[in-house]
Amino acid sequence: MKGKDFVSISDLTRDDLMHILNLALEMKKQGNTSKLSGKTLGMIFEKPSLRTKVSFDVAMYQLGGHAIYLSNEEIGLGKREPISDVARVISRYVDLIMARTFAHGSVADLAKYATVPVINGLSDEEHPCQTVADILTILEKKGKLEGLSVTYIGDGNNVAASLLLACALIGMDFRFASPKGYEIPDRILRRARDISFGSYQIITTQNPKDAVSGADVVYTDVWTSMGQETESEQRRKDLAGFTITSELLAKAKPDAILMHPMPVHHGEEFAEGMIDCAQSVLIDQAENRLHAQKAILVELAKNQ
Ligand code: CP
């Protein structure tokens, strides 16, 4: 990989991403190995998690290594101690750091001051590990990436940003539908243009039906991300027309897949029962967090 850390999808070249996907497929077949024998991952969490916590912990176990969970109550990132001090000290104990932070600047600062690789396990700007698992799932389900059209419906949040960047990097068309005020930030759109490959194009609209029409992949996420709970009532009102229903999904290609990073808010961004529809790949997508992250961990550990 081009740098020490994995904080943003744009830390990867297209070749890096394709290599990680191939390695993840290989490791999914292999099962347990000793590639990270004797290595320790420090996992810092400022927010709750099911998938990220368990999949990173199990990934280290299956690679012959070990993971340590560090809650923010214990270490007080930036409060009990400056991030620069936490980063430099923890680097003397562990071989890799994974951090889930509120502010993107916190995980970026950890990467700046740590002497070991830092992985972004979700910040307010990006969720790059989720996206690698998402692209792995699309590749498995569709047998290819090039020429596919990915549609994201809803809030232009961290998951949308990382997915857009990956689509740009690979050269997959990205369509995005949100109400006014919920767009993906301009700085992410500019970065996507800078890293885009081939004939990649992005279409943004306020009409979910237009965005879903003829799509190969239909993707959504929660309307209220962690840390935005006080806005949830307003967000439910603003995003009310952007629920994925069977009628909306029927406008996509008949073999389109339906994706969501989970947890799902049933009855909000997903109509009740959509998780169990024939086109839903959510549980396979969640499993792929494990395989994608094993590949990311092995690649970053190589730089040590
Ligand atoms: N998708 C995801 O990151 O899930 P968790 O918040 O449970 O880790």
Side-chain angles (χ1 to χ4, degrees):
M1 282 167 64
K2 68 182 179 186
K4 171 176 83 64
D5 309 297
F6 184 45
V7 171
S8 165
I9 284 291
S10 51
D11 289 335
L12 304 177
T13 63
R14 187 175 190 275
D15 285 349
D16 289 337
L17 179 53
M18 300 316 285
H19 175 71
I20 287 170
L21 293 172
N22 287 328
L23 185 59
L25 289 171
E26 198 183 298
M27 294 180 80
K28 191 168 178 174
K29 279 194 219 132
Q30 261 175 5
N32 294 9
T33 71
S34 54
K35 285 179 194 291
L36 295 188
S37 172
K39 304 279 185 195
T40 301
L41 172 72
M43 305 193 296
I44 298 171
F45 281 92
E46 286 190 326
K47 304 182 194 181
S49 170
L50 168 65
R51 281 144 288 270
T52 306
K53 181 182 174 205
V54 178
S55 57
F56 267 109
D57 197 337
V58 173
M60 285 305 289
Y61 176 78
Q62 292 188 358
L63 291 166
H66 171 63
I68 302 173
Y69 173 78
L70 297 157
S71 76
N72 205 38
E73 288 71 40
E74 287 161 323
I75 63 166
L77 197 64
K79 293 193 177 80
R80 183 169 180 264
E81 279 187 85
I83 291 176
S84 54
D85 291 358
V86 173
R88 288 180 295 163
V89 170
I90 197 173
S91 296
R92 298 292 178 97
Y93 303 136
V94 305
D95 304 281
L96 298 135
I97 299 167
M98 187 281 299
R100 165 167 287 194
T101 59
F102 282 100
H104 188 76
S106 299
V107 69
D109 278 352
L110 277 170
K112 181 175 168 188
Y113 293 105
T115 54
V116 297
V118 173
I119 300 168
N120 181 355
L122 181 145
S123 66
D124 60 359
E125 185 156 305
E126 278 206 53
H127 198 356
C129 295
Q130 178 67 54
T131 293
V132 176
D134 297 341
I135 301 294
L136 179 65
T137 309
I138 296 170
L139 180 59
E140 283 183 327
K141 300 292 177 189
K142 294 286 170 194
K144 64 174 187 176
L145 296 174
E146 286 80 5
L148 297 182
S149 176
V150 176
T151 290
Y152 186 103
I153 303 290
D155 183 25
N157 63 11
N158 44 9
V159 170
S162 288
L163 188 63
L164 161 65
L165 290 169
C167 287
L169 199 58
I170 294 163
M172 298 162 82
D173 289 345
F174 186 81
R175 302 184 206 166
F176 175 76
S178 77
K180 203 165 164 17
Y182 290 86
E183 296 87 358
I184 296 173
D186 281 345
R187 66 181 180 283
I188 303 288
L189 298 178
R190 283 195 296 275
R191 211 187 312 157
R193 271 194 297 273
D194 289 347
I195 63 171
S196 66
F197 178 84
S199 61
Y200 156 80
Q201 64 166 340
I202 173 168
I203 295 168
T204 57
T205 171
Q206 291 175 17
N207 185 333
K209 287 182 192 154
D210 287 351
V212 168
S213 178
D216 297 289
V217 176
V218 178
Y219 199 118
T220 191
D221 189 12
V222 292
W223 294 342
T224 302
S225 294
M226 287 178 278
Q228 298 175 329
E229 288 76 9
T230 56
E231 302 169 16
S232 60
E233 200 180 323
Q234 186 62 48
R235 287 174 164 268
R236 269 197 296 274
K237 280 185 200 152
D238 293 344
L239 286 142
F242 291 78
T243 300
I244 305 287
T245 59
S246 47
E247 293 74 29
L248 184 61
L249 187 58
K251 304 212 170 294
K253 285 188 182 158
D255 62 350
I257 56 172
L258 177 60
M259 303 184 76
H260 188 306
M262 303 181 84
V264 174
H265 291 179
H266 300 278
E268 287 191 22
E269 76 278 1
F270 252 36
E272 294 290 349
M274 287 308 283
I275 190 171
D276 295 315
C277 77
Q279 287 158 277
S280 164
V281 299
L282 271 67
I283 306 302
D284 292 339
Q285 182 185 355
E287 179 193 330
N288 275 339
R289 292 291 302 276
L290 172 64
H291 310 296
Q293 288 159 195
K294 282 167 78 174
I296 292 163
L297 288 162
V298 166
E299 276 309 295
L300 286 175
K302 268 193 203 164
N303 291 343
Q304 282 306 96

